[in-house]
């Protein structure tokens, strides 16, 4: 290396040697001493049994919305719908929520663990923790509920227990359907025996 | 004719129990129609009829739980304690606790019977007024008793 007389040239000569080495060292940290990154781990996989998914293809979180002839808005939601296979000729929907909003402003919504549709009819059979609530503050529980998603009626398969502003009621069967009055409203019929218990608040009690 | 109907004052805070074959409820008009041998029981009062239409108190279009009036039609039978009254139609206004029975009313209390066109009973005070061609039938006590 030629020697120079002034410090500046010496400094530059030194820098010409040291700077590339430093650069080399920094560069190597990327490849030589860096952690080896496992490319497969970085992409999050859903831990779902792929065969199971393939075997029974279903629709996840389906929403079915329609309007009945008289104008009742029908909205049917579930977390999953499994189409009918050859052994089970019923379409099955899981964790079902059904909403009927009648033209007179009353909203009836039913919730159940599952709903079964047979032979393409629009009738759903809701079963499993069936609970019906209405915007008027009624709650009804029954074992099984039938509902027509076209003409917006709801029918309980057997006894139904109702609590509402009018008190408690037990009835053999319950049927909610549109009236053919104008404007279209809805009516709730209880048949096969009805027992209603109403405890009046003492008169002085402000409502 | 003034009569007294039922000894103890009728307690209107007791629960009302209505049993029937069928019930149709319309939330908009706040009306519930019970049909098929309907029986209403409240404390000592028992009202039975073929059809009872219950009208609920409506507060700004919202149906509240309180019953406003009950209209019973079709062989109405009202029993309060030992007194029974029969008629064609009865209207029971729950708030004022007044029952108006109309249509050739027949009231029997113990041994005596009273018939007329209209019987108004105030359940709270227990007295009633019978109007319209009132006829009373008193059974003389037979000597042998």
């Amino acid at each position: 290396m030629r020697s120079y007389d002034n410090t500046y040239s010496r400094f530059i000569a030194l820098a010409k040697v040291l700077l590339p080495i430093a650069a080399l060292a920094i560069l190597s940290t990327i490849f030589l001493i860096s952690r080896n990154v496992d490319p497969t781990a970085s992409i999050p996989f859903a831990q779902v049994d792929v065969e199971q998914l393939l075997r029974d293809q279903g629709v996840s979180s389906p929403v079915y919305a329609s309007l009945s002839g008289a104008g009742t808005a029908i909205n049917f939601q579930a977390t999953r719908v499994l189409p009918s296979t050859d052994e089970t000729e019923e379409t099955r929907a899981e964790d079902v929520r059904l909403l009927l909003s009648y033209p007179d402003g009353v909203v009836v919504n039913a919730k159940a663990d599952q709903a079964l549709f047979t032979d393409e009819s629009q009738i759903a059979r809701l079963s499993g923790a069936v609970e019906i609530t209405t915007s008027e503050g009624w709650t009804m529980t029954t074992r099984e509920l039938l509902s027509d998603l076209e003409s917006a009626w709801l029918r309980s398969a057997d006894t139904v227990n109702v609590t509402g502003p009018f008190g408690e009621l037990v009835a053999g069967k319950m049927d909610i359907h549109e009236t053919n009055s104008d404007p279209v409203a809805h009516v709730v019929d209880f048949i096969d025996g009805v027992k209603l218990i109403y405890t009046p608040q003492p008169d002085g009690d402000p409502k | 004719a003034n009569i007294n109907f039922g000894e103890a004052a009728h307690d209107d805070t007791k629960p009302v129990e209505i049993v029937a074959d069928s019930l149709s409820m319309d939330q908009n008009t706040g009306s519930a129609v019970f049909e098929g041998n309907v029986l209403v029981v409240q404390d000592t009062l028992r009202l039975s009829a073929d059809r009872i239409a219950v009208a609920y108190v409506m507060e700004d279009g919202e149906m509240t739980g309180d019953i406003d009036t009950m209209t019973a039609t079709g062989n109405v039978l009202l029993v309060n304690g030992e007194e029974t009254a029969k008629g064609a139609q009865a209207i029971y206004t729950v708030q004022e606790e007044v029952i108006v029975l109309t249509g050739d009313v027949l009231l029997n209390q113990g041994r005596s019977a009273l018939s007329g066109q209209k019987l108004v009973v105030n359940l709270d005070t227990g007295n009633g007024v019978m109007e319209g061609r009132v006829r009373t039938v008193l059974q003389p006590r037979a000597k042998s008793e």
Side-chain angles (χ1 to χ4, degrees):
Chain A
M1 253 181 57
R2 280 186 287 117
S3 63
Y4 298 99
D5 48 6
N6 57 25
T7 57
Y8 179 70
S9 304
R10 237 177 267 118
F11 166 69
I12 290 297
L14 202 61
K16 271 198 288 188
V17 171
L18 285 183
L19 281 184
I21 294 170
L24 208 62
I26 295 171
L27 206 59
S28 66
T29 59
I30 297 175
F31 301 108
L32 291 183
I33 55 170
S34 66
R35 276 178 290 95
N36 45 16
V37 175
D38 165 12
T40 58
S42 60
I43 307 162
F45 272 107
Q47 302 307 335
V48 166
D49 170 3
V50 181
E51 293 78 24
Q52 205 257 343
L53 256 185
L54 278 177
R55 196 172 49 260
D56 43 28
Q57 351 79 343
V59 178
S60 57
S61 65
V63 173
Y64 165 84
S66 86
L67 206 59
S68 81
T72 309
I74 301 157
N75 187 302
F76 179 91
Q77 287 174 8
T79 48
R80 203 148 166 269
V81 165
L82 307 173
S84 58
T85 55
D86 27 36
E87 347 58 67
T88 64
E89 66 294 332
E90 283 163 334
T91 313
R92 204 164 67 85
E94 283 161 2
D95 195 357
V96 163
R97 188 171 305 284
L98 173 63
L99 206 85
L100 301 179
S101 35
Y102 286 96
D104 57 14
V106 172
V107 176
V108 174
N109 70 64
K111 155 154 90 51
D113 287 351
Q114 70 159 12
L116 296 174
F117 293 83
T118 45
D119 52 55
E120 294 88 29
S121 71
Q122 288 286 15
I123 308 227
R125 221 155 25 96
L126 279 75
S127 58
V130 181
E131 204 197 301
I132 303 134
T133 51
T134 74
S135 53
E136 304 285 312
W138 300 21
T139 50
M140 307 185 213
T141 52
T142 180
R143 196 176 50 79
E144 205 181 271
L145 187 70
L146 288 143
S147 170
D148 183 330
L149 300 188
E150 247 168 50
S151 42
W153 51 252
L154 275 163
R155 220 168 272 156
S156 79
D158 45 39
T159 53
V160 63
N161 296 301
V162 186
T163 48
F166 49 79
E168 273 95 35
L169 182 138
V170 178
K173 275 211 181 55
M174 181 259 314
D175 182 348
I176 305 179
H177 53 84
E178 293 157 342
T179 57
N180 35 34
S181 63
D182 176 26
V184 175
H186 83 293
V187 79
V188 185
D189 288 339
F190 296 102
I191 44 175
D192 294 358
V194 173
K195 180 155 182 270
L196 181 135
I197 298 172
Y198 153 67
T199 21
Q201 277 76 18
D203 295 353
D205 170 41
K207 195 64 220 123
Chain B
N2 271 330
I3 43 139
N4 84 39
F5 192 84
E7 314 78 19
H10 168 68
D11 177 357
D12 81 334
T13 56
K14 281 279 192 318
V16 174
E17 193 188 305
I18 308 176
V19 177
D21 285 355
S22 76
L23 157 67
S24 164
M25 233 171 187
D26 184 345
Q27 292 172 338
N28 291 319
T29 56
S31 79
V33 177
F34 292 86
E35 260 148 358
N37 39 61
V38 188
L39 172 64
V40 179
V41 177
Q42 182 177 32
D43 193 19
T44 55
L45 171 82
R46 291 163 64 84
L47 174 66
S48 66
D50 292 349
R51 179 179 184 278
I52 292 190
V54 176
Y56 284 94
V57 172
M58 292 293 277
E59 262 160 28
D60 50 61
E62 204 56 47
M63 165 177 151
T64 64
D66 299 332
I67 297 182
D68 184 16
T69 64
M70 279 193 207
T71 317
T73 48
N75 47 61
V76 179
L77 176 66
L78 175 65
V79 176
N80 192 356
E82 300 82 27
E83 283 90 11
T84 66
K86 279 204 285 291
Q89 209 218 7
I91 297 172
Y92 171 28
T93 42
V94 179
Q95 249 72 22
E96 296 89 19
E97 293 181 77
V98 163
I99 296 187
V100 175
L101 208 60
T102 51
D104 41 54
V105 180
L106 175 63
L107 167 74
N108 33 48
Q109 289 171 314
R111 298 177 56 73
S112 72
L114 200 65
S115 76
Q117 272 317 313
K118 184 175 169 197
L119 168 67
V120 178
V121 172
N122 182 320
L123 294 169
D124 210 5
T125 58
N127 56 42
V129 172
M130 179 73 93
E131 290 153 9
R133 281 196 353 270
V134 178
R135 273 194 346 256
T136 178
V137 174
L138 296 177
Q139 309 287 8
R141 190 177 298 280
K143 292 274 171 316
S144 59
E145 259 164 67

